[in-house]
Amino acid sequence: MYYINRIAKNQPQNAMLEQLPADWQAALAPHLDKPTLLRLQDFLQQERKTEQVFPPEDKTFAALHLTPVATVKALLLGQDPYHDEGQACGLAFSVPDNIPAPPSLRNILREYCQDLGFPMPRQNSLEKWARQGVLLLNTVLTVRAHQPGSHRGMGWEHFTDAVIKALARRNTSVVFLLWGKQAWQKKKLITSPQHIVLTAPHPSPLSAYRGFFGAKPFSQCNAELLKRQIDPIDWRLN
């Protein structure tokens, strides 16, 4: 906490960090590199001046605000935000309720129904999962409109790796749901044996039929939590 407060006091240009909830500030402090964050901050400031960037700035850290550190039971890792108008809301794979589900989300909801026996949700927001202790984190938290992957390699990976490292240091078990090759690469950050890593192909149309369908990630996650005497996640969206 001291590290973050010191930056905020002496480096006002690093105001991005002040947008984080206090609990996440404290958890991330040992893992954050100040020069990398300042470069990311500068890049985002310039991008927002000249380009349309998703999600809106006040939604960038929505996942961390909706899921406090102490409540995290599972981390579901995405890539970068949806890049079309109105889709990105700061939660991996989720969209606002009034927005049609993109293809990956449609496939996630299809597996949700098959795995858990629930009806197809009436709305497409996954915010209920976030409030149940599922951290819906993308590896990159912003994107230029209509240009997928446009903010990769600009510093977000350092920040989101810090989130994974902070959770991996916890004594309480966390289930890491890693879907797709990019997410699988983060497995090396999760070294403590009390944590659980469940991998599956990405739910995109290009790979969902290669093993995402039928992987039963939601029931598997709850089974692992129950083994460790942790209350399961209520995945119901309706």
Side-chain angles (χ1 to χ4, degrees):
M1 189 68 170
Y2 171 74
Y3 175 87
I4 297 291
N5 286 339
R6 186 180 60 190
I7 291 176
K9 181 177 179 180
N10 296 332
Q11 300 286 348
Q13 71 267 35
N14 214 2
M16 181 180 71
L17 294 177
E18 296 179 340
Q19 300 175 37
L20 298 177
D23 61 333
W24 280 108
Q25 289 186 27
L28 297 179
H31 309 288
L32 293 176
D33 173 70
K34 176 177 160 184
T36 301
L37 291 177
L38 289 174
R39 287 192 295 270
L40 173 61
Q41 173 73 19
D42 292 345
F43 166 75
L44 290 172
Q45 288 178 342
Q46 186 60 36
E47 276 286 279
R48 291 191 184 277
K49 289 178 182 177
T50 60
E51 304 288 345
Q52 187 177 18
V53 174
F54 297 139
E57 189 170 7
D58 64 346
K59 297 291 186 183
T60 303
F61 298 110
L64 301 181
H65 282 278
L66 287 170
T67 313
V69 177
T71 71
V72 176
K73 297 180 181 180
L75 181 147
L76 176 52
L77 191 64
Q79 297 180 0
D80 56 351
Y82 296 124
H83 54 85
D84 286 336
E85 194 74 41
Q87 294 179 324
C89 61
L91 303 177
F93 296 112
S94 181
V95 294
D97 276 338
N98 61 329
I99 299 295
S104 291
L105 179 55
R106 287 202 301 270
N107 288 336
I108 290 169
L109 295 177
R110 174 179 165 179
E111 177 62 18
Y112 155 91
C113 295
Q114 292 178 343
D115 182 8
L116 301 172
F118 295 152
M120 185 62 68
R122 294 182 295 270
Q123 305 290 345
N124 294 321
S125 172
L126 305 180
E127 185 173 322
K128 287 185 178 179
W129 290 358
R131 296 186 183 280
Q132 280 283 314
V134 182
L135 183 63
L136 299 169
L137 184 73
N138 282 312
T139 54
V140 174
L141 300 190
T142 56
V143 67
R144 189 181 296 180
H146 318 303
Q147 297 185 39
S150 51
H151 285 185
R152 292 177 188 169
M154 299 298 176
W156 276 127
E157 293 88 349
H158 167 70
F159 178 86
T160 54
D161 279 0
V163 174
I164 297 171
K165 290 175 183 176
L167 292 176
R169 289 182 62 185
R170 280 181 46 183
N171 293 326
T172 305
S173 298
V174 175
V175 179
F176 291 85
L177 297 163
L178 306 182
W179 296 346
K181 291 182 180 179
Q182 287 191 29
W184 299 346
Q185 294 172 3
K186 305 300 181 180
K187 187 175 180 179
K188 63 180 180 292
L189 303 177
I190 307 159
T191 56
S192 298
Q194 75 268 20
H195 301 305
I196 309 97
V197 177
L198 300 178
T199 60
H202 195 274
S204 73
L206 294 175
S207 56
Y209 287 94
R210 299 174 186 169
F212 178 76
F213 292 135
K216 299 184 180 298
F218 310 106
S219 58
Q220 278 198 59
C221 176
N222 276 355
E224 294 294 344
L225 292 172
L226 286 168
K227 284 180 186 177
R228 292 156 179 82
Q229 299 182 324
I230 299 171
D231 290 338
I233 295 160
D234 183 355
W235 294 102
R236 289 175 296 179
L237 290 169
N238 285 339

